[in-house]
Amino acid sequence: TNAPVLVLGESGTGKEMVAQAIHRQSPQRNGPFVALNCSAIPETLLEAELFGHVRGAFTGAVGTRQGRFEQAHRGTLLLDEVGTMGAALQARLLRVLQEREFERVGDSQPTRVDVRVIAATNSDLGRMVKDGTFREDLYYRLNVIPLRLPPLRERREDIPVLVQHFLERLGREHTPPRPGVGMSQDAMRRLMAYSWPGNVRQLENTIERVFAFSPGRTQIDEAALPDEIRQAA
């Protein structure tokens, strides 16, 4: 399907990886996958980042530049943290989704694009609609296919699989390679008991840390884990 997808989940649950997986299985898989974190760019610059600009459109615009929509033509555009987008940009985004065209900043000529949009957020967009901070029509336009990613604390059975995946990848990337590194049963119990407020991203960083501080070992034990994990009930 080419329908818009809204990926919901806490920070660190892997929303961008899910978007990449959707792209790889979609009719747009031979096109580009372009990701933009809307919260990482100031509101005054986000419009030009999305839609591009022409020369002289504003101070510093020394040439014409493509925006992310043009870069994602015939592919997929991930709009991460879409809930941080201001009201004016929400209106422009809605028009692009409906009309499949837009104007670059400072230009009056429309540019047509064929882009499949995936939006992601850790915000409660439904509540934001009720509060009047997010457009209701845009919410329904993005929320055609909603996908909720549960936090890691709600899927602890995934932790051993993720840990093994991270250890195998780190072993391949290490110089020289360190194949066969595993986690002891006691250490794995501690990892599964922890609540992981930072979700999969925090787990990945933790495994990278204990791997780095366990040189020459084929099994990482409980003593190598950070204090807050070893002290988890």
Side-chain angles (χ1 to χ4, degrees):
T1 177
N2 295 326
V5 177
L6 180 61
V7 186
L8 306 167
E10 294 179 6
S11 179
T13 50
K15 296 187 289 295
E16 182 169 344
M17 294 191 70
V18 166
Q20 291 173 346
I22 293 171
H23 171 74
R24 289 194 297 268
Q25 300 296 324
S26 74
Q28 293 83 10
R29 58 183 168 271
N30 293 323
F33 176 86
V34 179
L36 175 65
N37 187 335
C38 300
S39 66
I41 300 174
E43 183 74 14
T44 54
L45 301 177
L46 185 56
E47 182 179 19
E49 193 68 31
L50 280 169
F51 306 115
H53 60 76
V54 297
R55 181 179 180 181
F58 51 83
T59 303
V62 295
T64 299
R65 181 176 180 272
Q66 284 188 341
R68 299 301 177 95
F69 267 97
E70 284 185 85
Q71 294 171 10
H73 182 54
R74 295 181 179 174
T76 302
L77 175 61
L78 169 64
L79 297 177
D80 199 6
E81 301 306 339
V82 71
T84 62
M85 191 176 291
L89 274 180
Q90 291 178 32
R92 288 206 64 182
L93 175 59
L94 177 64
R95 181 176 180 276
V96 176
L97 294 175
Q98 292 175 336
E99 306 296 335
R100 299 287 180 177
E101 66 178 28
F102 61 91
E103 295 86 31
R104 293 172 178 166
V105 177
D107 195 4
S108 59
Q109 296 298 318
T111 300
R112 293 197 62 82
V113 288
D114 177 17
V115 176
R116 198 267 185 88
V117 172
I118 299 176
T121 183
N122 59 14
S123 304
D124 186 345
L125 292 187
R127 181 175 295 278
M128 292 177 66
V129 168
K130 293 179 181 179
D131 295 340
T133 56
F134 199 84
R135 291 181 64 111
E136 185 176 22
D137 45 7
L138 177 58
Y139 172 64
Y140 290 126
R141 194 71 186 86
L142 295 172
N143 195 33
V144 177
I145 301 177
L147 292 178
R148 178 183 176 271
L149 295 186
L152 192 55
R153 62 184 175 274
E154 293 181 9
R155 50 187 176 108
R156 296 175 192 264
E157 67 276 7
D158 288 349
I159 291 176
V161 180
L162 290 166
V163 168
Q164 190 59 37
H165 167 69
F166 295 141
L167 286 174
E168 289 175 358
R169 192 199 68 207
L170 290 166
R172 289 193 304 268
E173 295 174 352
H174 191 269
T175 304
R178 289 176 57 189
V181 177
M183 194 73 59
S184 73
Q185 290 187 359
D186 289 341
M188 189 64 73
R189 290 193 194 98
R190 289 295 182 187
L191 293 173
M192 295 184 70
Y194 187 60
S195 60
W196 299 106
N199 293 296
V200 181
R201 184 183 295 123
Q202 183 188 6
L203 174 64
E204 181 179 13
N205 293 340
T206 298
I207 298 305
E208 185 173 1
R209 171 182 171 181
V210 299
F211 182 90
F213 282 97
S214 302
R217 298 184 185 179
T218 58
Q219 180 171 274
I220 299 173
D221 55 28
E222 182 181 348
L225 299 178
D227 291 344
E228 66 270 17
I229 296 175
R230 287 191 290 107
Q231 294 168 4

